[in-house]
Amino acid sequence: MITGFESDFAILLLALAVLFSAGVGWWTYRGNKRLPAPVKGVTIFLRAAAVFLLLFLLFNPVYEFEDSRDLKNEIVVVLDNSRSLTIEKGEWQGDEAMRELIDSLNLSDTTSTRYQVFGFDSDLFSTTPDSLPLDGSVTNMNRSLVSFNQQTSTPDAVVLVTDGIFNRGLDPTRAAERTGIPFFTVAVGDTSAVRDVMVRNVVYNSTAYTNSSGMIQAEILNDGFPDRSIEVQLLRNGQVEEIKTVQTTESRSIHTLDFEVEFEEEGTEQFRIQIPAIGDEWTTANNQYSFTIDVVDDQMRILHAAFEIHPDVSSLRNLLATDEAVILANRTWVGGSRFIGGALPEQADTLDLVILHGYPHPRMDESIRQQIAELASQTNILLLSLSGTELGAIESATDNLSPLRRTGQSPVGNILPSGNREQQEHPIFDIEGEQPDFGRAPELRGPLRNFTSASLALDLLMVSHRSELTGSPMLSVQQIGNNRVAQLNAWQWHLWQQSTSAEFRDYYKQLMNNLVKWTGTGVSENLLEFSPTRSSFDEGEPVTFRATVQTETGQPDQEARVNVTIDGDTIDSLDFLMRNIGSGRHSLESSALPAGSYNYEAVAQRGNTEIDRVTGSFSVNESVLEFMDTVRRDGLLQFISESTDGAFFTFGQIEELHNELRERGFDEFRTKTFTTSRRAHHSVWWFFVVILLVGVEWTLRKVYDMA
């Protein structure tokens, strides 16, 4: 079928082409007396037909051909890979039952159905029925279905085999509905409640400091043991450090225990909280939680000098005072050259960071300015503006060390931060959880416009006024030699610290902590700085690394690449190339690793020349998440199947599943009609017809001596 002439305008053009072609043929032979009338009519027709075909091809018509084929139905089988399915409980016989169920799905019979098999735990992955390891330590069903949604092919149905238990991510129902495909859910595992005690929600700082103490907090869940004394042990490097007892009064209860630990020597300490086995407890796999704490002798010495009495000052000081990694000295200017807390130090050789809060003040003595400028030139500095800050004098008061430059009059108003998308990989933005909606945050105060940044500075936060960016940076950082300088040009942050919304309180705390730690760390003399973002990770979560590379002159190395090798007792050696995110910075997020201790080696290269290398270690703690909730969620699986027009089955109803698929025609070939399009001018036969018409006309003219 030829398409392209459905509209009235196209039909009109086609009619005009017919009239034009007929007119050309008639005009060519209108006065001819030598051809007999019948022959003259034939030549007029031949000329008109040739012209019409050429005009017709100029309209670019399209041929459409329909072709019917018998195709196999495609069914995707998604298998739960979580470790909880290996537990024998009730009628469910663990690993053996799962293997038998996979065999009973009869995935090898591809006579009329094509199967594609995936496994899932923390995410979706391709697998085969025989190679499913059942070792997933974290289950994120929603992320797995989102990944499935991003597959290029669209199957006819999904068979989802799972216990419905997820311990990471959102409810997966919406992700299943968005596929537009019927889900046939097969519930595996057991629905019976059991008697159990478990260690969960262990809270600790992964880094501690010598000659300090740290708190370790653990929740103990009792499920089924009323009126019992439960012993809880804290082990340190394999030795019992402390024993506490939990006294239960009800069948189900939660108890919180605090262990205080002293740290004296530098190194990595191995800890484990465990509960000795209790009679009639269905499993002891969740009776312990292991983790490591890195003890370092590297506390940061900070001088916080405030030049105004403001709530932001006390808010920041309270935050730093509770941080064991910080040795804090406070100074508050009260006029002239006087400070509460003592005089300013003459040298900064014992300081890692100087925080200048509200500097410079317009009524400050010139001698204080000179002393501050001298200190700022010797170490890392963090500049924080306040309402009384003399904004136009910051450059001169710091000998041009400040990252921000004022370009004109800067009216002060209500502002909010806006993240610079190009710098979201910066370590200062290593903040747990999602970034809050800044539009709902308490408003800050600061200059609205007419600020720019120095040539080597990085703008991390920008100024937003009434939901529009003003073009001025709010937070900018830069490296000068081996020192770092950061400037935050906004105040009223204490409103975030006092917010009723936890997301803004947490964001303020982490942002300020990261800003202080990054600025105070400074730039090492090594050309490569490389480290994991934490000294220990939980099993099932990705392991992340950061690196910066600089040239011999101290400038960011834009051309370097960083190769990383990770090895351990539980894996073969893994090689990675870090992602270059600009300004000499690199990042790496590896896949989740099994529990154990690992070593790493990072090598920075420019071309074939090695610049520097760094070695170190980290650990991955064993996860017990899969053993905390083992009650099969039939309600969730039923809801998923009903909302996607599928059906729900238990692991003992595999035959009913096969019958349902047969009744819906999934075991039969389906006929699909394909439409193939081809443009007429792509076929040479049309041009042969034109040549034939012109050739016959020429032959007739030759016969009658007209050629």
Side-chain angles (χ1 to χ4, degrees), residues 54 81 120 125 154 180 194 239 266 343 404 410 424 432 441-442 449 463 511 517 562 592-593 623 636 639 682 685:
L54 291 174
N81 186 53
F120 76 93
F125 60 91
T154 303
V194 293
Q239 302 295 320
E266 191 174 7
L404 297 182
S410 305
Q424 290 305 300
E432 294 183 5
R449 59 185 65 89
V463 172
L511 176 67
K517 296 293 178 58
V562 181
L593 297 172
S623 172
L636 173 66
F639 190 73
H682 290 170
W685 294 108

Side-chain angles (χ1 to χ4, degrees), residues 68-246:
S68 297
R69 302 179 190 173
D70 289 334
L71 300 177
K72 294 180 180 181
N73 285 288
E74 181 178 352
I75 296 179
V76 169
V77 180
V78 182
L79 304 172
D80 195 335
N81 186 53
S82 59
R83 194 179 296 166
S84 61
L85 293 183
T86 63
I87 298 171
E88 297 182 8
K89 184 161 73 82
E91 297 181 357
W92 180 253
Q93 297 304 307
D95 186 289
E96 180 183 350
M98 188 65 177
R99 304 297 177 191
E100 291 178 357
L101 183 144
I102 293 174
D103 290 341
S104 65
L105 290 174
N106 199 18
L107 302 180
S108 60
D109 184 4
T110 58
T111 306
S112 57
T113 305
R114 186 159 57 95
Y115 295 101
Q116 190 175 7
V117 182
F118 291 97
F120 76 93
D121 39 49
S122 61
D123 206 344
L124 194 73
F125 60 91
S126 297
T127 187
T128 61
D130 297 332
S131 62
L132 190 71
L134 292 177
D135 61 356
S137 56
V138 172
T139 304
N140 192 332
M141 196 183 304
N142 180 72
R143 177 189 290 178
S144 302
L145 293 184
V146 169
S147 298
F148 172 77
N149 238 336
Q150 296 170 350
Q151 299 291 322
T152 54
S153 61
T154 303
D156 300 289
V158 175
V159 175
L160 177 62
V161 182
T162 177
D163 55 12
I165 302 170
F166 58 92
N167 42 50
R168 285 285 189 274
L170 304 174
D171 186 297
T173 304
R174 185 69 185 121
E177 292 174 344
R178 280 197 293 266
T179 64
I181 306 168
F183 272 67
F184 297 88
T185 56
V186 180
V188 293
D190 189 73
T191 59
S192 61
V194 293
R195 303 180 71 195
D196 190 27
V197 293
M198 69 179 71
V199 180
R200 69 175 194 177
N201 295 343
V202 178
V203 180
Y204 63 96
N205 288 325
S206 59
T207 302
Y209 299 88
T210 55
N211 302 316
S212 67
S213 62
M215 190 67 68
I216 300 172
Q217 186 179 84
E219 280 187 359
I220 309 300
L221 174 63
N222 157 51
D223 193 358
F225 294 97
D227 301 321
R228 293 286 294 268
S229 293
I230 301 175
E231 182 180 290
V232 182
Q233 302 173 345
L234 172 65
L235 278 73
R236 182 175 187 170
N237 300 322
Q239 302 295 320
V240 176
E241 177 86 357
E242 188 176 356
I243 298 176
K244 292 194 174 185
T245 302
V246 168

Side-chain angles (χ1 to χ4, degrees), residues 457-526:
L458 301 177
D459 297 330
L460 305 187
L461 292 176
M462 307 300 292
V463 172
S464 173
H465 176 60
R466 295 178 180 175
S467 302
E468 293 186 2
L469 293 177
T470 68
S472 285
M474 177 184 292
L475 172 60
S476 188
V477 300
Q478 68 176 344
Q479 296 181 178
I480 301 177
N482 289 333
N483 294 331
R484 287 173 173 166
V485 184
Q487 185 172 356
L488 182 57
N489 217 12
W491 55 94
Q492 298 288 68
W493 288 98
H494 70 279
L495 297 178
W496 288 47
Q497 190 267 340
Q498 298 170 0
S499 172
T500 57
S501 176
E503 59 178 341
F504 297 118
R505 296 196 304 270
D506 293 342
Y507 188 85
Y508 163 79
K509 181 178 179 180
Q510 294 185 69
L511 176 67
M512 288 300 181
N513 183 67
N514 291 351
L515 178 59
V516 168
K517 296 293 178 58
W518 181 86
T519 310
T521 301
V523 183
S524 71
E525 296 181 357
N526 297 327

Side-chain angles (χ1 to χ4, degrees), residues 282-302:
W282 80 277
T283 182
T284 59
N286 53 16
N287 282 31
Q288 63 180 18
Y289 183 89
S290 300
F291 56 97
T292 60
I293 295 180
D294 225 13
V295 184
V296 297
D297 186 12
D298 191 22
Q299 289 176 295
M300 185 175 292
R301 297 157 298 176
I302 297 176

Side-chain angles (χ1 to χ4, degrees), residues 423-436:
Q423 301 296 337
Q424 290 305 300
E425 297 289 346
H426 196 281
I428 289 177
F429 289 133
D430 279 340
I431 295 176
E432 294 183 5
E434 297 183 0
Q435 177 178 287

Side-chain angles (χ1 to χ4, degrees), residues 567-579:
D567 60 67
D569 296 336
T570 58
I571 62 167
D572 296 329
S573 180
L574 301 174
D575 295 314
F576 301 93
L577 176 64
M578 298 193 76
R579 183 166 62 94

